[in-house]
Structure formats: C-alpha cells, structure tokens
C-alpha cells in the first residue's frame, strides 16, 4: 500500500514592500494562521533607502516596520507555532536578529532567531568587476538554502538580507518536504508560488486590471500558498477576507516584472512556459506542471550609487495659449540659470486642460521641470530662486503647484553579476553556529523546449471595431532597473490567437510612442494566454533617477489598455457577454 503524500505546507505572505499594510501580520495570524509567514520588504529602491539610512546611522539598515510588527505579533506567532521568514534584514540582518532577541526579552518570550549573511558585496566591487570606489549598496541575490539550514536548526524567525523574493517561499517548502538541490521541478514550482506571493495583495485582486469584477475590492486579503511535495501549489486566501483569487488574478501576478519564459534564480531556472493554472474551487487556483532547470553559474547583484542631485518644480498653465506660455517660461528659466546651468533640465508638458472647462483645474495644464546635476548647488537654492523670481514677470496666470524645494540626492541602480562560487552564503543558526552554503554543482539543462504553440485564429475575426484593448485584455507592468516590464493576457484561446498576431513590437510602439525609442523584446507565454514585453531603457537609470511621470512603469499596462485599435467584434462580444 502506497504511503500517503506528505501534507502540503501553508505559507502566507504579509508584506509586498517596505510600507505595506502594517496590520497584515496580525490579520494573518488571527484569521487562519499558516505554517510559515513570509514578508518581502526589499526592492531596488528600498535598498537605496536603507543605504542612505546607514549613512546617517551605522546601526540602521534594516526594515524597522518589521520589528514593530513583531512587537505585537511575535507572541501570537509562537503560540500558534508559526515560523516567520523575512528579508527585512536588508543591509543588516545580524543587527535585526539581535534586535528581535532583545525585543523578545522585553516581552518575556523565548525565541530562536537565525539569519543569513554573505549577500553584501559592497567592499568587493573592484575585485568582482562592478566598480570602485565602493557603491552605496551592492548585494547579491542569494537563494533558499541558507533559509533551509536555519529552519533545520530550529529557528522560529529567519531574517535575511538580499535573497530573491521567491526564496522566502522556496526555503520553507524545501525544508518541509526535504527536497534536494537537484529537485529542479519541485524547486521551480515553489519558485512560481513564491513569485505569486511576493507582492502580497497583488495576487488577491490588488492592482488588478478587472477590479470592477471583484465583489469586495476595498481591502484584499493577503495570499497563502499550499505547496505540495511535487512543487505544485494552490494559491488561496483566508475565508472572509476581501479581494479574490482566480486564474486572472494569479496570471496578472505571474506576469509581473519578469523577462522571458526562463525565470532565472540562484537555485533553479523556472520555466514559466510550462506553468498551468486551473481553478480549484472558490478563491483557489492550482499551479502545476512547472519544469525546472539547473541555475546559472552567476548571481545577480543589485548595485546602488548616488548619481547626483535633483530638484523639481511644476508650473500651472491655465486657459488659452498653453504652448506659448510653456515656451515663454522655459526660455525665461534657461536665461535665469545661464551662469551656472544644471547639467540637465528635463521638461514635461501634461495637457490636462480642456477647452471651455467649467472648473479652473480642468482648464489647466502642468509643465514640470526636473533639474539634475552632479553637484547640489546648481539645482539647489539657485534653481528654486530662479523659478520663484519669474512669478510677476512671466505668462498670465503664473503659479506653481508648490514652492520649489532644495536639492536632494538621487540614486542610480545597475544590475551586475558575480560568480556563485565567489559569494560566501552563510546561515547563522539560532545557537550561533555557522553553516556555509556551497554553490550549486554544475549540471546540464535537461528540460526540453516546449516551443510557443499559438492556436490558429478563428475564421470570424474579419469584422472589427475600434475599441480600447482593455475591453478584452488585462495587463500588469512594473520595473527592473531601467527596464519596463509589461505583461498582457486574455481569457480565451481565440483572443490569444488574435493578440499574438496583432500586438507585435511595432504595434506596441504605435500604441505607446514613448516606448518607440527603446529596444523592446516580446515573449510569448501560450499556457497563460499572455505576452510579455521588456522595454530596455525606458526608465533610465532606475526609479530613483527616473524623471518619467510614472518612474516605475506601474501604470504602463493601464495606459496600453486604454489605447484603441481594431478588435474583432466577436472577441468584444465574448468579453462583454453580448
């Protein structure tokens, strides 16, 4: 008689970024405690913020919100036997581990804390080829095996620095199921589950293209993954919480900030072109079929540097002659700054005005100028004073949205690589012992290419009507350094056949002219009925340096959905239920 399959491990997420819903940890622990709680607090911008914190106070460098959450929730987690795994350690995981022990002592609790070291490569930039002098931050994206060792060592809480977001889920799953380092398919399946969970409520209806279809979108519950021994999983949420979990909400998150079908990680390459989604009941989506391959020999390294200083001001232009008013004030400001001009002045005119508007705001456009320079003086008081001095000597109706401020530093993000064998990945167990995590052994990629099979378009696509793409397609977009990632999906094979043929790179450039100047790659994901576009360079030197209206490309997908093109009437009827 065959032994019963091991029970799945239930892993919940309570944070998708530094600043996410503070009450989420307490809510998860009281609504339906999982086996493990994870929290993702790090992003490229967060590492810059923590780096600047550390400049001001060497004792800082971790996500302090996490510690405040533990102050009210650590006892509850210990009571329920819930383990906690978080990357809130940021640049200082050892200091956060010490702070948690001190907190537990004040609360009268006994807690076993492990942490992960080795991701900080700031002092090794010259050696590893990504720059000298040292950057503000330089951190390798470590994998899951240090987390596994800490959990094996009895840790109630594991804090890490920069690991991949998915590792927060893969580690507990590998520990629970006893996976080995060559269980590629299981590791890949857990990676996909981790990618779904990493952004919290984005998997349960947050930031969701079809949000009007959700019965209660006001306060989505946070997601839970039930990860099985073979790496398959069910994405769900606690009963009675808001939002929804469906194939479309999970698809949207799967497409978030990825590149091609091969999703590279430090422990495994997950084949997103093999992922299959099925509805497994109300608010339950099963993820299965994911194939894995051995990981690359190199780790991604996120490097943040101070790029210079910036300042910004916005002029309000009201009524008639908007273009002429904009030209006048641009010329005046350039003249005023001619003795010590900033290295760059970038102007954006947003034509938010309407003709014959019945409100003053509706009659107004916004002209924004961003000044940047390697030194603070040209973009500091000199810039602000020049803008203010024009108040009585420029276009009629002159005013600003707010007084100009002082110069502030901005960061520049670059992605580098380092050999896995050159990075000292270390798990520090609750008893203080240290376990070195070896790099993966070289292995051949044994997964077969699935190809990109797209169904043939049905015969009834000839009759078309001009309509917004969002009538039939969802989208989710975001940033990776200077690249914008834009995923688009539809809900039927017929719609996907049309989408794959119609939405080419050239078509995307036509619909989104701001992307047309940048190299763009399109990837097909037929299992998800999706396309993914990567626009390289749209975001410049990363979010902290970008001067775009939407510096993280969060709304790029919604802009695309609002654009009109010729869509088959049969697909529009299918989407609207006519």
């Amino acid at each position: 008689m065959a032994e019963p399959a091991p029970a799945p491990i239930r892993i919940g997420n309570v944070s998708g970024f530094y600043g996410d819903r503070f009450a989420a940890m307490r809510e998860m622990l009281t609504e339906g405690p999982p086996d493990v709680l994870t929290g993702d607090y790090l992003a490229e911008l967060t590492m810059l913020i923590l780096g600047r914190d550390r400049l001001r106070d060497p004792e800082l460098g971790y996500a302090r919100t996490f510690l405040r959450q533990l102050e009210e929730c650590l006892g509850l987690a210990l009571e329920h036997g819930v383990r906690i795994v978080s990357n809130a350690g940021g640049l200082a995981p050892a200091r956060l581990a010490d702070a948690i022990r001190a907190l537990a002592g004040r609360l009268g609790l006994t807690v076993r804390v492990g942490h992960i070291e080795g991701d900080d490569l700031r002092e090794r930039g010259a050696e590893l080829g990504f720059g000298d002098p040292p950057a503000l931050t330089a951190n390798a994206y470590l994998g899951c095996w240090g987390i596994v060792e800490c959990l094996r060592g009895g840790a109630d809480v594991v804090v890490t620095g920069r690991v991949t977001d998915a590792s927060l889920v893969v580690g507990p799953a590998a520990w629970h199921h006893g996976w080995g380092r060559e269980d590629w398919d299981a590791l890949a399946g857990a990676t996909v589950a981790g990618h779904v969970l990493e952004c919290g409520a984005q998997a349960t209806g947050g930031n969701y293209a079809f949000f009007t279809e959700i019965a209660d979108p006001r306060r989505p519950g946070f997601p839970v993954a039930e990860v099985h021994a073979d790496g398959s999983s069910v994405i769900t949420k606690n009963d009675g919480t808001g939002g929804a979990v469906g194939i479309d909400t999970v698809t949207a998150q799967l497409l978030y900030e990825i590149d091609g079908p091969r999703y590279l990680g430090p422990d495994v390459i997950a084949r997103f072109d093999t992922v299959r989604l099925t509805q497994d009941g109300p608010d339950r989506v099963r993820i299965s079929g994911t194939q894995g391959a051995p990981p690359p020999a190199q780790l991604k390294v996120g490097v943040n540097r101070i790029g210079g200083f910036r300042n910004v001001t916005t002029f309000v232009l009201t009524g008639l002659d908007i273009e002429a008013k904009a030209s006048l004030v641009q010329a005046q400001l350039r003249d005023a700054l001619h003795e010590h001009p900033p290295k760059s002045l970038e102007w954006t005119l947003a034509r938010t005005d309407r003709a014959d508007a019945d409100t003053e705001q509706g009659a107004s456009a916004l002209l924004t100028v961003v000044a940047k320079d390697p030194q603070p003086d040209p973009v500091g008081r000199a810039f602000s004073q020049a803008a203010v001095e024009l108040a009585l000597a420029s276009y009629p109706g002159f005013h600003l949205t707010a007084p100009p401020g002082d110069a502030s530093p901005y960061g520049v993000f670059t992605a580098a690589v380092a050999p896995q064998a050159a990075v000292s990945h270390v798990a520090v167990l609750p008893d203080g012992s240290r376990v070195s995590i070896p790099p993966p052994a070289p292995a051949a990629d044994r997964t077969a290419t699935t190809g990109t099979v797209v169904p043939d378009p049905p015969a009834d696509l000839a009759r078309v009507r001009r309509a917004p793409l969002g009538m039939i397609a969802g989208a989710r977009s975001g940033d990776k350094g200077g690249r914008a990632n834009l995923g688009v999906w539809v809900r039927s094979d017929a719609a996907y056949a049309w989408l794959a043929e119609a939405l080419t790179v050239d078509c995307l450039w036509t619909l989104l002219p701001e992307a047309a100047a940048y190299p763009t790659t399109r990837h097909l994901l037929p299992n998800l009925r999706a396309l993914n576009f990567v626009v390289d360079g749209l975001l410049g030197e990363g979010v902290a340096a970008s001067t775009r209206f939407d510096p993280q490309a969060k709304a790029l997908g919604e802009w695309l959905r609002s654009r009109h093109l010729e869509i088959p009437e049969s697909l529009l009827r299918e989407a609207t239920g006519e």
Side-chain angles (χ1 to χ4, degrees):
M1 183 175 178
E3 293 184 5
I9 181 172
R10 297 185 73 248
I11 303 172
N13 171 282
V14 295
S15 177
F17 70 101
Y18 191 10
D20 208 345
R21 188 190 306 168
F22 185 84
M25 184 180 291
R26 175 173 43 79
E27 291 171 358
M28 185 70 77
L29 288 169
T30 55
E31 291 163 350
D35 301 308
V36 177
L37 276 184
T38 65
D40 178 12
Y41 293 78
L42 301 184
E44 293 163 1
L45 180 61
T46 313
M47 300 299 279
L48 174 67
I49 293 169
L50 295 178
R52 291 173 63 181
D53 282 350
R54 186 172 59 181
L55 282 179
R56 291 192 297 270
D57 183 349
E59 294 302 310
L60 298 180
Y62 57 81
R64 287 171 283 174
T65 300
F66 175 71
L67 197 61
R68 291 196 291 115
Q69 288 174 304
L70 288 186
E71 188 165 4
E72 67 173 49
C73 295
L74 181 57
L76 193 57
L78 293 172
E79 178 186 335
H80 288 293
V82 176
R83 313 245 184 167
I84 299 174
V85 179
S86 173
N87 61 14
L91 304 177
R95 282 201 293 275
L96 178 57
D98 287 340
I100 294 170
R101 295 185 190 99
L103 171 67
R106 293 194 299 273
L107 297 175
L109 301 172
T110 300
V111 63
R112 296 165 296 181
V113 184
H115 73 273
I116 308 301
E117 296 180 352
D119 62 297
D120 190 348
L121 305 179
R122 184 171 52 135
E123 301 296 333
R124 299 177 62 192
E127 170 198 348
L128 296 173
F130 47 81
D132 190 40
L136 182 63
T137 71
N139 296 79
Y141 286 69
L142 302 180
C144 74
W145 295 107
I147 296 171
V148 172
E149 290 297 335
C150 285
L151 293 171
R152 285 176 180 164
D156 303 304
V157 179
V158 181
V159 291
T160 78
R162 179 72 277 183
V163 298
T164 66
D165 301 339
S167 294
L168 301 176
V169 169
V170 182
W175 160 71
H176 176 78
H177 291 298
W179 295 335
R181 297 189 65 158
E182 295 185 2
D183 287 327
W184 309 124
D185 291 348
L187 293 168
T191 297
V192 172
H195 181 68
V196 174
L197 259 61
E198 70 185 53
C199 288
Q202 278 196 173
T204 57
N207 300 349
Y208 174 53
F210 302 112
F211 72 97
T212 57
E213 299 176 1
I214 296 177
D216 181 10
R218 294 172 300 172
R219 192 178 175 86
F222 275 63
V224 174
E226 299 169 357
V227 185
H228 292 257
D230 63 354
S232 65
S233 63
V234 172
I235 306 299
T236 185
K237 64 184 185 69
N238 286 330
D239 292 341
T241 60
V245 178
I247 288 177
D248 286 317
T249 68
V250 173
T251 297
Q253 180 55 26
L254 282 174
L255 296 175
Y256 185 60
E257 294 181 347
I258 65 170
D259 289 336
R262 294 168 64 86
Y263 188 79
L264 274 60
D267 301 313
V268 69
I269 296 172
R271 294 283 303 276
F272 272 50
D273 54 348
T274 61
V275 173
R276 295 193 178 277
L277 305 180
T278 52
Q279 198 73 39
D280 197 52
D283 289 320
R284 293 177 62 84
V285 172
R286 181 171 296 278
I287 303 176
S288 62
T290 307
Q291 295 179 20
Q298 293 182 312
L299 295 174
K300 177 182 174 180
V301 180
V303 180
N304 279 293
R305 289 186 168 84
I306 298 297
F309 297 83
R310 64 190 289 171
N311 204 343
V312 60
T313 192
T314 298
F315 302 89
V316 182
L317 315 174
T318 304
L320 305 177
D321 304 317
I322 296 294
E323 299 286 347
K325 290 171 179 174
S327 295
L328 173 60
V329 76
Q330 288 181 61
Q332 289 178 310
L333 189 61
R334 282 194 296 266
D335 290 346
L337 298 171
H338 77 280
E339 290 188 5
H340 302 287
K343 184 177 181 181
S344 71
L345 290 175
E346 299 185 35
W347 298 86
T348 303
L349 176 59
R351 294 301 303 263
T352 53
D353 56 303
R354 302 190 306 274
D356 194 24
D358 57 2
T359 65
E360 183 177 339
Q361 186 174 4
S364 299
L366 300 176
L367 177 66
T368 298
V369 57
V370 179
K372 297 169 73 173
D373 197 88
Q375 301 300 321
D377 289 347
V379 296
R381 185 165 300 186
F383 171 80
S384 297
Q385 184 174 335
V388 171
E389 286 180 350
L390 296 175
L392 304 182
S394 188
Y395 60 87
F398 180 106
H399 65 284
L400 307 173
T401 56
D406 203 355
S408 60
Y410 68 88
V412 172
F413 176 87
T414 56
V417 294
Q420 292 223 34
V423 176
S424 299
H425 184 179
V426 176
V428 183
L429 306 189
D431 64 5
S433 59
R434 302 171 66 86
V435 179
S436 293
I437 308 301
D445 187 341
R446 90 300 183 253
T447 55
T449 301
T450 62
T452 52
V453 179
V454 178
D456 293 328
D460 59 347
L461 300 185
R463 295 174 61 87
V464 297
R465 173 159 56 90
R466 194 162 184 81
L469 178 61
M471 292 286 291
I472 68 164
R476 173 69 61 77
S477 56
D479 65 302
K480 283 293 183 185
R483 296 176 299 172
N485 302 75
L486 171 56
V488 186
W489 84 95
V490 289
R491 293 164 149 177
S492 71
D493 289 343
Y496 185 61
W498 172 81
L499 184 75
E501 183 175 305
L503 192 57
T504 62
V505 169
D506 286 340
C507 179
L508 183 82
W509 285 343
T510 299
L511 296 174
L512 305 182
E514 293 174 11
Y518 301 97
T520 302
T521 305
R522 185 181 86 149
H523 302 283
L524 281 72
L525 295 164
N527 279 7
L528 302 176
R529 299 192 186 107
L531 310 175
N532 192 58
F533 295 90
V534 180
V535 186
D536 194 1
L538 181 67
L539 306 181
E541 295 175 298
V543 54
S546 178
T547 57
R548 280 183 51 81
F549 173 69
D550 177 15
Q552 291 183 278
K554 297 297 187 183
L556 190 67
E558 287 303 293
W559 179 26
L560 176 65
R561 293 183 69 239
S562 74
R563 297 290 281 158
H564 290 226
L565 69 167
E566 303 294 329
I567 300 175
E569 290 187 351
S570 61
L571 299 183
L572 292 169
R573 289 194 299 270
E574 175 185 81
T576 59
E578 296 176 0

